[in-house]
Amino acid sequence: MNRRLRRRLLSGAFIAATALAAVLVLLPLVLILFDLVARGASSLNLEFFIRNPRAPGQPGGGVANAIVGTLIIVGTAAAIGLPLGIGAGVYLAEFGHGKMGWLVRFVADVLNGTPSIVIGVFVWTWMVRPMGHFSALAGAVALAVLMIPMVTRTTEEIVRLVPGALREAALALGYPRWRAALSVVVRTAWPGIVTGALVGVARIAGETAPLLFTALGNLNFKTDLLEPMQTLSLQIYVYATGPFAEWHRLAWGAALVLMMMVLVLGLLARYVSRTRFSGGR
Amino acid sequence: MARYRRTRSVALGDRVFHAALWICAASIPLLLLAIVLELAVTAWPAITRFGWGFLVSTAWDPVTDTYGALPMIVGTAVSSLLALLIAVPLALGVAIFLTEFAPLWMREPIARLVELLAAIPSVVYGLWGIFVLIPLLREYAVPLLQRAFGWTPLFAGTFYGNSMLAAGIILAIMILPYISAVAREVLLAVPNDQREAALAMGATRWEAVWTAVLPYGKAGLMGAVVLGLGRALGETMAVTMVIGNRHEIGLSLLQPGYTMAAAIANEFAEAVTELHLAALFEIGLILFAITVAVNAAARLLVWRVARASAAGSRAL
């Protein structure tokens, strides 16, 4: 009896310990989100969104250049990376049974785990050095390189979920293979593909390391892809590690804006697949 | 393919479709090849100049143009291991709680919240580390640690703020969601028969998990940990912002250190000589090789358990 009681107590203790682990894991999340709002929200006024940075140490100014730069660079990266990633994903799902499929799958997983700073220096040798100057385009290419393997794997998985019967039905009706794949298989999987794409965009939107030696950053408002350009992530890095209190304030504001961008993309991703999938079934 | 070749236009359409997708797919192995080549070519002057000595030398002096990567390699290993030490018990605890013990209604929401940690950008972690974590450590944690363990070399010396300890804690928070997500997938893939058999034999709920569930998923859980290690090794921004960036090997966790990724981020823009640049590229190449090996190992381990579920590879 005594022994049994001890085992029960022990079991209860371990279960409580795992619950405690859950609390301890959520604690930093709560702290970080709380600090972002507590320290960042007060900076978010009209000036913050429509003005460019002032000279170092001067009060005021905003991050309009960084917000626009983030949108341009991430948008360009998506325009380059998404078609390649989705195409490769559809290839893996449709034709990926052989050696080529195995190779692409394996390399995509390997690239997924590659440190983003390595991608950054790679694109520096590939684009920045030959061109002779830093550019937003190089930054976008670096982000696209990060994004392609991610989107490839999520696309493949979603397309694989489409029942084979659908494809067979389309082929039986006389569709050529490419039309069966595009109008039936890919179309059925489309909401899921869009979700994967949005998740990929959300992941790269906050990246800093690959942009350090490609997009570089810029204190001025730029929209030319061939010039260095600022992003929110680069601005946070410079401001957080800089000496001025005013910079620190702007860094927290920029971090809050960046976090909200990432969260909105994440929610959008969830919303797209939920509504379309449940409607389709 | 021949079955569909009814008319010439159909066959042409299929061929164009296949070729277009093939080009997209081929871009991925080509990218890997390009990365390895570009890194190796640019690093070549340092590779030929320093040979294997690069890995064990502690010299790093742009003035005399001599470089060695040992402080960065050690710093990367120490910060990553410290992160694992903190993150693994917590991440496995959460994963076990969420798959085995938590009330059903809270499993999904909590799992989502833990995943949210992975959505926070690295640079935001760094910002939080500088302005919240390090002050917290200085005020509360480090005095306690020093009172308890100050006599060991691990917690000796003055705490400067930017330190190995701060980097390890930030890294731990950052890799938690990856480890727990993969561990959760692995535990979900353990058949219910395992649990029911143990419970039927009279095991308590914890005993069932400890004797029947965890051993079954052991390889996959190892994979989750190794995957976390891979993330920690290559993490750049947050570490650069809190580790202190100093080329020295110290025993104390309270003192500044350096990692391979941080060295590249920090010195790349200042690399004036060709050899300095080449040395940084060689560090990049080493980092790349290590993470490729670690990730391949993680992938194989997770596949042994969760091969059937696509989720296993999604988590990767």
Side-chain angles (χ1 to χ4, degrees):
Chain A
M1 208 49 206
N2 196 7
R3 189 176 146 81
R4 187 165 165 190
L5 185 68
R6 220 186 67 199
R7 283 174 56 207
R8 288 196 146 195
L9 284 177
L10 204 64
S11 175
F14 276 111
I15 294 175
T18 62
L20 181 66
V23 174
L24 287 177
V25 168
L26 293 181
L27 188 66
L29 177 74
V30 173
L31 278 178
I32 292 171
L33 294 182
F34 172 80
D35 283 318
L36 275 178
V37 175
R39 299 175 184 227
S42 57
S43 301
L44 302 189
N45 47 32
L46 188 64
E47 191 185 6
F48 183 83
F49 288 101
I50 63 167
R51 294 241 185 259
N52 291 328
R54 292 271 188 88
Q58 281 191 19
V63 294
N65 59 336
I67 293 174
V68 172
T70 301
L71 295 178
I72 291 176
I73 289 181
V74 172
T76 312
I80 301 167
L82 287 181
L84 280 169
I86 293 174
V90 174
Y91 176 88
L92 286 182
E94 290 278 313
F95 308 107
H97 313 291
K99 274 193 191 136
M100 176 74 176
W102 182 89
L103 178 74
V104 172
R105 212 167 279 127
F106 183 79
V107 173
D109 279 358
V110 164
L111 283 181
N112 258 339
T114 301
S116 56
I117 185 88
V118 171
I119 306 287
V121 293
F122 158 65
V123 173
W124 181 84
T125 56
W126 210 33
M127 292 187 65
V128 176
R129 197 160 56 167
M131 285 167 75
H133 57 88
F134 300 98
S135 68
L137 185 64
V141 168
L143 294 185
V145 171
L146 271 178
M147 193 176 183
I148 289 170
M150 239 180 323
V151 174
T152 299
R153 296 296 266 138
T154 51
T155 302
E156 181 198 358
E157 255 171 51
I158 290 294
V159 174
R160 268 179 195 281
L161 290 180
V162 177
L166 271 180
R167 178 196 335 256
E168 283 158 21
L171 292 174
L173 286 171
Y175 268 22
R177 179 135 196 198
W178 65 272
R179 278 217 61 187
L182 283 185
S183 326
V184 177
V185 178
V186 169
R187 203 173 152 187
T188 310
W190 192 245
I193 295 176
V194 173
T195 294
L198 286 171
V199 170
V201 174
R203 282 257 185 105
I204 60 161
E207 279 290 347
T208 317
L211 300 177
L212 286 174
F213 324 119
T214 50
L216 188 67
N218 199 322
L219 288 175
N220 303 311
F221 191 95
K222 295 284 177 192
T223 53
D224 185 351
L225 275 177
L226 295 178
E227 282 185 79
M229 197 182 278
Q230 187 71 294
T231 69
L232 283 167
S233 53
L234 288 169
Q235 189 118 16
I236 296 168
Y237 177 52
V238 173
Y239 279 7
T241 51
F244 308 109
E246 184 68 9
W247 277 14
H248 300 160
R249 184 181 71 77
L250 287 172
W252 281 101
L256 181 60
V257 172
L258 182 61
M259 195 64 222
M260 291 205 292
M261 276 187 184
V262 172
L263 286 182
V264 165
L265 282 168
L267 287 176
L268 206 62
R270 196 142 283 165
Y271 174 79
V272 169
S273 59
R274 181 173 294 165
T275 49
R276 295 273 192 83
F277 259 137
S278 53
R281 276 186 192 159
Chain B
M1 290 297 269
R3 272 187 298 152
Y4 316 116
R5 198 173 293 159
R6 284 197 203 91
T7 66
R8 180 165 291 175
S9 67
V10 167
L12 184 69
D14 278 354
R15 243 179 286 157
V16 169
F17 180 61
H18 185 270
L21 291 185
W22 189 89
I23 290 171
C24 293
S27 74
I28 292 174
L30 283 179
L31 265 179
L32 180 76
L33 199 67
I35 291 173
V36 174
L37 279 179
E38 292 277 13
L39 289 182
V41 166
T42 319
W44 196 246
I47 296 174
T48 50
R49 174 78 175 271
F50 303 116
W52 293 106
F54 188 74
L55 298 177
V56 292
S57 162
T58 58
W60 190 276
D61 189 0
V63 180
T64 57
D65 238 9
T66 44
Y67 304 99
L70 193 64
M72 282 86 114
I73 295 175
V74 172
T76 305
V78 171
S79 59
S80 300
L81 290 181
L82 183 61
L84 282 187
L85 209 63
I86 301 168
V88 168
L90 290 175
L92 294 187
V94 173
I96 294 171
F97 180 68
L98 289 179
T99 51
E100 311 294 332
F101 302 132
L104 284 178
W105 60 267
M106 64 161 67
R107 293 185 180 187
E108 204 53 36
I110 292 188
R112 289 273 159 81
L113 284 176
V114 175
E115 274 173 28
L116 202 54
L117 278 174
I120 300 176
S122 177
V123 70
V124 174
Y125 274 109
L127 176 76
W128 186 78
I130 293 177
F131 293 107
V132 180
L133 180 69
I134 288 181
L136 277 178
L137 286 176
R138 184 179 287 130
E139 281 293 302
Y140 304 105
V142 170
L144 278 177
L145 282 171
Q146 280 190 317
R147 207 169 303 153
F149 304 107
W151 50 275
T152 63
L154 280 181
F155 295 98
T158 325
F159 180 66
Y160 292 105
N162 288 347
S163 58
M164 223 30 142
L165 182 69
I169 293 174
I170 284 280
L171 275 176
I173 301 174
M174 295 181 75
I175 63 176
L176 264 170
Y178 294 98
I179 302 179
S180 80
V182 180
R184 190 163 161 261
E185 300 288 355
V186 168
L187 293 176
L188 284 175
V190 175
N192 256 332
D193 298 358
Q194 292 285 114
R195 301 179 178 91
E196 284 159 9
L199 291 173
M201 302 274 287
T204 60
R205 287 176 76 191
W206 171 255
E207 285 165 352
V209 169
W210 185 251
T211 57
V213 177
L214 295 184
Y216 190 95
K218 205 164 68 186
L221 295 177
M222 288 274 296
V225 172
V226 176
L227 180 86
L229 176 65
R231 293 273 160 189
L233 291 172
E235 187 43 58
T236 312
M237 297 316 296
V239 174
T240 311
M241 290 162 84
V242 301
I243 202 170
N245 302 325
R246 211 178 60 175
H247 285 285
E248 263 167 54
I249 303 177
L251 260 181
S252 175
L253 297 177
L254 302 183
Q255 278 163 13
Y258 224 159
T259 69
M260 292 191 264
I264 302 172
N266 221 27
E267 297 191 11
F268 193 86
E270 302 154 11
V272 272
T273 66
E274 192 201 15
L275 206 55
H276 192 181
L277 193 69
L280 288 172
F281 268 83
E282 190 174 351
I283 287 178
L285 195 62
I286 298 167
L287 181 62
F288 182 67
I290 293 174
T291 50
V292 166
V294 167
N295 282 306
R299 197 181 114 121
L300 293 176
L301 284 167
V302 173
W303 273 11
R304 267 168 62 181
V305 179
R307 190 191 296 269
S309 71
S313 61
R314 185 200 322 141
L316 284 177

